[in-house]
């Protein structure tokens, strides 16, 4: 679709004494071709706009505004930001980090401003992007706070000494899955993972836990996204996977894939074999959300009715929804959000931004803070408290009439304060870093969908950072066809799926 926004706007800047960088994944071009002879064009003619990811941007802005209004935290010091969209591309991620680090680059919406050094960087969404960023940022000892999923490699203090993980420990997620399976006696399951380092790490961590708890894997499928979207004729991998799903007697399927692969898989399943797959229990990837087509249709609404997922535990943040209702869309913010407005409201109105975020349906944009946004919120607060600690740790804090003066602080000086920082965020939740990891747990979410393309997220349980597990069984809404399976089985819901239990008693095959 040819839009009114021109080339895709890719960065947003606000000045301040201390600049925090943000690298987000917002717009996914369907075709991003490089011929190495000209600078890559960022056209919006064939772009997928990730509506919900724009909440990540607004959360960072909200947190910085909130901290700047707390005089006791950073008196006389104003936080600013420089936000980039990496377009879901590793090459673009490199370009973004270099633009953040070097002042002489001027590829920006704002041509005239005095850029400050970046003190920290928030990002990225995937472990692959986080590693790409860390490879460059580590050379300058700049703190990097990740808000998305991450693999075990990022936990290495030797390879990535300056990365701080704002998501809970991955072991809590793995144990949460195992405890959920054990609670319902689901002992015969299938695994679908992405064919990359993150998928392999998930398998290597989860399989031993399944074996230790006598849970059998009916099948394990690794799938790659390469050539899947750009060449629609290459569906051999999806065809084989669909055949496996149709033939398996496992009624619980665990997914650990990136959003691109999962969307392609879901669209393929809906087109060819949706009816045969409705009724299975799907445990979705970490931090999963329904994707929405331009028409407003939920991708996989019937298949994933009643699905379960794990999301970072969140507390309600006072003032966040009011901020979203009243956010000031100045000229630069309107430009950065232009494609969002054009796609979300199906009209650009010359990008005036007069429409209201609260008028959008939840399947496009949610007013409640998501788990990933909550991680970003905590990341900003962690940086603010580290800056507070380093300023007031000096024997003679630089004060001017009771206000703190911005001194010659370098990013590398923050690390000794970041590793085990302890503070209360704006939601009055205690936040504790232990060995550069956030000590927080996961919520267990049950997804309920409706014919009008809306959905409801039902909180049905949790797993803490210490792996304490709880579940509200009566709160879970199961897939309607799954209820028929239960009623036809000789065993009750507490006994699990009848034929799966028989298979387990015979041993894993």
């Amino acid at each position: 679709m040819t839009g009114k926004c021109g080339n895709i706007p890719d960065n947003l800047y606000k000045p301040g004494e201390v600049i925090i960088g943000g690298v987000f994944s917002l717009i996914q071009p369907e075709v991003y071709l490089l011929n190495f002879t000209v600078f890559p064009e960022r056209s919006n003619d064939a772009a997928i706009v990730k509506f919900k990811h724009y909440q990540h941007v607004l959360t960072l802005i909200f947190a910085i505004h909130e901290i700047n209004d707390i005089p006791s935290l950073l008196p006389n010091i104003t936080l600013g930001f420089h936000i980039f969209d990496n377009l879901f591309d590793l090459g673009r991620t490199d370009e973004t980090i270099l633009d953040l680090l070097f002042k002489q680059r001027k590829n920006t919406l704002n041509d005239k401003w005095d850029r400050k050094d970046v003190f920290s960087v928030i990002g990225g969404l995937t472990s692959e992007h986080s590693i790409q960023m860390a490879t460059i940022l580590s050379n300058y000892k700049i703190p990097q706070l990740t808000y998305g999923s991450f693999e075990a490699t990022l936990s290495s203090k030797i390879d990535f000494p300056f990365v701080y993980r704002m998501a809970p420990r991955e072991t809590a997620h793995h144990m949460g899955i195992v405890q959920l399976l054990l609670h319902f006696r689901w002992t015969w399951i299938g695994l679908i993972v992405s064919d990359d380092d993150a998928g392999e790490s998930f398998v290597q961590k989860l399989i031993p836990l399944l074996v230790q708890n006598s849970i059998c894997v009916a099948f394990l499928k690794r799938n790659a996204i390469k050539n899947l979207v750009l060449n629609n004729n290459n569906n051999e991998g999806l065809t084989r996977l669909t055949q496996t799903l149709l033939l398996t007697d496992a009624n619980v399927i665990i997914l650990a894939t990136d959003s691109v692969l999962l969307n392609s898989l879901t669209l393929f399943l809906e087109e060819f074999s949706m009816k045969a797959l409705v009724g299975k229990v799907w445990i979705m990837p970490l931090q999963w959300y329904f994707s929405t087509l331009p028409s407003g249709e939920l991708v996989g609404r019937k298949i994933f009715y009643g699905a379960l997922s794990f999301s970072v535990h969140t507390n309600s943040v006072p003032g966040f929804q009011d901020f979203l209702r009243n956010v000031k869309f100045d000229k630069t913010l309107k430009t950065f959000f232009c494609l969002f407005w054009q796609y979300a409201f199906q009209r650009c109105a010359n990008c005036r931004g007069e429409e209201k975020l609260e008028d959008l349906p939840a399947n496009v944009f949610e007013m409640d803070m998501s788990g990933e946004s909550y991680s970003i919120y905590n990341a900003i607060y962690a940086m603010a408290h580290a800056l507070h600690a380093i300023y007031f740790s000096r024997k003679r804090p630089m004060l001017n009439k009771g206000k703190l003066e911005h001194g010659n602080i370098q990013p590398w000086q923050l690390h000794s304060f970041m590793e085990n920082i302890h503070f209360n965020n704006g939601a009055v939740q205690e936040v504790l870093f232990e060995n550069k990891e956030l000590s927080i747990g996961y919520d267990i979410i049950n997804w309920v969908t409706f014919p009008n393309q809306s959905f409801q997220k039902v909180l049905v349980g949790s797993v803490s950072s210490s792996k304490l597990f709880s579940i509200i069984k009566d709160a879970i809404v199961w897939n309607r066809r799954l209820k028929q399976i239960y009623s036809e089985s000789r065993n009750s819901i507490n006994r699990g799926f009848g034929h799966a239990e028989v298979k387990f008693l015979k041993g894993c095959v």
Side-chain angles (χ1 to χ4, degrees):
M1 177 172 68
T2 302
K4 302 177 182 178
C5 300
N7 288 340
I8 296 175
D10 61 2
N11 78 103
L12 181 68
Y13 176 81
K14 180 181 179 180
E17 282 83 15
V18 174
I19 299 297
I20 296 178
V23 179
F24 300 118
S25 300
L26 306 173
I27 300 170
Q28 184 177 4
E30 290 186 4
V31 180
Y32 194 92
L33 300 178
L34 301 177
N35 59 17
F36 300 100
T37 60
V38 296
F39 194 81
E41 180 183 357
R42 300 182 187 89
S43 171
N44 62 359
D45 288 345
I48 299 173
V49 180
K50 298 292 186 178
F51 301 121
K52 293 181 176 62
H53 292 190
Y54 277 84
Q55 192 192 87
H56 302 163
V57 176
L58 292 171
T59 299
L60 184 146
I61 296 173
F62 167 75
I64 286 179
H65 283 180
E66 188 173 72
I67 289 169
N68 286 339
D69 288 338
I70 303 176
S72 60
L73 186 53
L74 291 176
N76 208 37
I77 299 297
T78 302
L79 298 181
F81 57 80
H82 197 183
I83 297 170
F84 281 83
D85 179 9
N86 68 2
L87 306 179
F88 290 82
D89 182 77
L90 292 177
R92 174 60 188 155
T93 301
D94 280 343
E95 181 188 340
T96 292
I97 296 302
L98 293 175
D99 198 18
L100 276 170
L101 294 179
F102 299 111
K103 298 180 180 180
Q104 66 268 23
R105 295 176 60 88
K106 291 294 183 180
N107 179 26
T108 175
L109 295 174
N110 307 52
D111 292 328
K112 297 180 180 179
W113 40 263
D114 179 23
R115 191 188 310 187
K116 304 289 184 180
D117 289 334
V118 174
F119 264 65
S120 66
V121 179
I122 312 297
L125 178 66
T126 68
S127 58
E128 193 175 25
H129 288 145
S130 295
I131 291 173
Q132 192 85 354
M133 293 169 57
T135 302
I136 301 175
L137 292 173
S138 61
N139 294 317
Y140 303 91
K141 300 181 179 180
I142 294 176
Q144 175 188 348
L145 294 88
T146 66
Y147 67 92
S149 59
F150 64 92
E151 58 179 286
T153 307
L154 277 172
S155 301
S156 172
K157 295 182 180 179
I158 298 175
D159 297 328
F160 302 104
F162 310 119
V163 175
Y164 301 86
R165 294 163 293 279
M166 302 308 300
R169 298 172 184 173
E170 59 181 0
T171 53
H173 177 222
H174 299 151
M175 282 304 303
I177 291 176
V178 172
Q179 290 170 311
L180 183 65
L181 297 175
L182 290 175
H183 178 83
F184 290 108
R185 300 188 184 182
W186 295 333
T187 55
W188 187 244
I189 58 97
L191 275 176
I192 302 174
V193 303
S194 54
D195 190 11
D196 54 21
D197 291 341
E200 186 60 30
S201 175
F202 182 83
V203 170
Q204 294 297 326
K205 298 290 184 179
L206 183 65
I207 293 293
L209 294 175
L210 297 177
V211 173
Q212 291 170 16
N213 289 276
S214 300
I215 298 171
C216 302
V217 178
F219 67 86
L220 168 59
K221 289 291 184 179
R222 295 177 172 88
N223 286 270
I225 191 59
K226 293 180 180 179
N227 301 321
L228 194 59
V229 177
L230 298 182
N231 183 2
N232 291 328
N233 294 323
N234 184 13
N235 289 322
E236 183 180 352
L238 288 180
T239 301
R240 290 198 301 267
L241 176 58
T242 302
Q243 290 173 344
T244 299
L245 290 171
L246 292 175
L247 294 175
T248 185
D249 57 358
N251 279 318
V252 178
I253 311 297
I254 299 173
L255 296 168
T257 68
D258 60 43
S259 60
V260 178
L261 177 59
L262 182 55
N263 286 346
S264 299
L265 169 63
T266 306
L267 291 170
F268 191 82
L269 294 177
E270 283 188 324
E271 182 176 357
F272 293 103
S273 53
M274 183 269 293
K275 291 183 179 180
L277 294 174
V278 171
K280 293 186 182 296
V281 174
W282 299 86
I283 299 178
M284 307 306 292
L286 192 62
Q287 305 280 55
W288 175 79
Y289 268 83
F290 270 107
S291 293
T292 308
L293 297 177
S295 62
E297 181 181 353
L298 293 181
V299 178
R301 177 180 68 84
K302 294 183 179 180
I303 294 177
F304 298 136
Y305 180 101
L308 298 167
S309 70
F310 290 78
S311 179
V312 172
H313 172 72
T314 62
N315 280 11
S316 178
V317 178
F320 181 65
Q321 292 191 4
D322 288 338
F323 170 80
L324 294 180
R325 294 188 185 99
N326 302 295
V327 61
K328 302 294 183 181
F329 283 89
D330 58 18
K331 182 178 180 180
T332 56
L333 195 56
K334 286 179 183 177
T335 304
F336 191 75
F337 271 71
C338 189
L339 271 186
F340 171 89
W341 240 261
Q342 177 178 310
Y343 281 72
F345 292 98
Q346 293 299 308
R347 60 185 186 279
C348 187
N350 295 322
C351 297
R352 291 196 300 268
E354 294 178 353
E355 298 84 356
K356 299 293 185 182
L357 292 172
E358 60 185 318
D359 295 333
L360 290 170
N363 63 344
V364 176
F365 188 88
E366 285 191 284
M367 299 294 285
D368 292 330
M369 188 177 288
S370 69
E372 289 170 346
S373 293
Y374 196 67
S375 295
I376 294 168
Y377 182 74
N378 282 329
I380 304 298
Y381 263 88
M383 286 303 308
H385 280 276
L387 284 168
H388 176 95
I390 195 171
Y391 280 127
F392 285 95
S393 67
R394 296 185 168 188
K395 294 182 179 180
R396 295 182 180 180
M398 291 169 288
L399 297 174
N400 180 15
K401 296 181 180 180
K403 293 185 177 181
L404 195 64
E405 290 286 347
H406 177 51
N408 187 26
I409 305 299
Q410 300 299 318
W412 60 265
Q413 294 175 294
L414 295 171
H415 293 295
S416 60
F417 297 89
M418 286 285 296
E419 290 188 359
N420 294 288
I421 198 168
H422 187 190
F423 61 91
N424 289 332
N425 63 19
V428 199
Q429 181 184 22
E430 185 180 35
V431 179
L432 175 65
F433 267 108
E434 294 178 337
N435 298 319
K436 298 167 47 176
E437 292 182 350
L438 197 63
S439 182
I440 194 173
Y442 289 102
D443 292 331
I444 303 175
I445 305 298
N446 180 215
W447 297 81
V448 184
T449 63
F450 304 97
N452 64 354
Q453 305 302 323
S454 63
F455 63 84
Q456 182 179 4
K457 297 190 302 182
V458 182
L459 178 63
V460 296
S462 65
V463 56
S464 69
S465 58
S466 59
K467 306 179 185 64
L468 294 177
F469 175 84
S470 65
I471 192 75
I472 308 172
K473 183 173 61 177
D474 294 337
I476 298 177
V477 178
W478 301 104
N479 192 293
R480 295 181 181 89
R481 189 167 180 271
L482 182 64
K483 293 179 181 178
Q484 295 177 350
I485 294 174
Y486 280 137
S487 62
E488 293 170 0
S489 172
R490 296 179 180 178
N491 298 321
S492 67
I493 187 171
N494 290 325
R495 290 281 298 170
F497 303 118
H499 54 274
E501 288 292 322
V502 173
K503 177 80 74 172
F504 168 62
L505 292 174
K506 292 180 180 179
C508 295
V509 294

